[in-house]
Amino acid sequence: MQPRIGVLALQGDFAAHRKALERAGARPCEVRNAADLEGVDGLVIPGGESTTMLKLLDVEDLFQPLAEFGKRKPIFGTCAGAILLAKEVLNPAQRSLGLLDLTVERNAYGRQIDSRIARIDLGGQPAEAVFIRAPIIRRVGSGAKILAEYAGTPVLVEQGKHLVATFHPELGSDDSVHRRFLEKVQRGYTENK
């Protein structure tokens, strides 16, 4: 059975995530309010601007429902989504969902002009990673696992049912990161059905 994956559609390139999820074998849907979380097996929080996302989550009264959802079901955050999922945020400090034991520094690779496409190793396979005003993961807690690095810093990390990437896997042609997230969702889906 194809898992139904919500994509937070308040800001960011949620359309690219929908396409990547479809290619990976999911049934994506857009999540714009708390009611949209019903019947969703997992959620993607896309890149964008994390402080703007926080404001929009407050406007839509979605912050607490997302925190509760994350206690029960998998969430995959990319770039700003990774910031929102981290336990601690720097530069400047801001609140977050705190679902992964990570410390993340916002915009740590530099400004927009410093954005880049880099090659990383994903499970022994070369992959393209698109960094756009990307955060850097400065600390990884003992319960989290580093899956990929770039320039000596973690760029893909999982902890339990959750996954974060500081790059934008939805902008490349390799869907392996989205497939990995779907595997997490399907493990939980089959365990709970």
Side-chain angles (χ1 to χ4, degrees), residues 63 67 83-88 95-102 159:
F63 188 87
I83 294 167
L84 292 177
L85 290 175
K87 183 176 183 178
E88 182 182 22
R95 71 187 168 120
S96 63
L97 296 167
L99 295 173
L100 280 89
D101 188 12
L102 305 173
Q159 184 175 356

Side-chain angles (χ1 to χ4, degrees), residues 8 10-11 43-57 62-63 66-67 75-89 94-100 102 104 106 135 163-165:
L8 187 64
L10 300 179
Q11 190 214 16
L43 181 71
V44 173
I45 301 178
E49 207 291 313
S50 62
T51 55
T52 300
M53 281 184 161
L54 281 171
K55 289 176 185 173
L56 293 170
L57 289 174
L62 251 174
F63 188 87
L66 282 183
I75 299 179
F76 172 30
T78 62
C79 200
I83 294 167
L84 292 177
L85 290 175
K87 183 176 183 178
E88 182 182 22
V89 180
Q94 69 182 43
R95 71 187 168 120
S96 63
L97 296 167
L99 295 173
L100 280 89
L102 305 173
V104 176
R106 298 174 66 237
L163 181 68
V164 296

Side-chain angles (χ1 to χ4, degrees), residues 64-75 99 161-162:
Q64 195 57 41
L66 282 183
E68 292 301 318
F69 181 91
K71 291 177 184 174
R72 300 184 323 274
K73 296 185 179 180
I75 299 179
L99 295 173
K161 61 185 158 284
H162 304 304

Side-chain angles (χ1 to χ4, degrees), residues 101-153:
D101 188 12
L102 305 173
T103 299
V104 176
E105 182 180 347
R106 298 174 66 237
N107 302 322
Y109 285 106
R111 301 178 342 187
Q112 189 78 21
I113 197 164
D114 300 313
S115 298
R116 66 187 61 101
I117 298 172
R119 303 295 292 169
I120 62 171
D121 181 288
L122 278 179
Q125 297 295 318
E128 188 176 87
V130 179
F131 294 92
I132 303 171
R133 292 185 62 212
I136 288 181
I137 297 171
R138 295 291 185 194
R139 183 191 60 81
V140 177
S142 61
K145 180 180 177 185
I146 299 169
L147 303 174
E149 293 183 341
Y150 169 70
T153 61

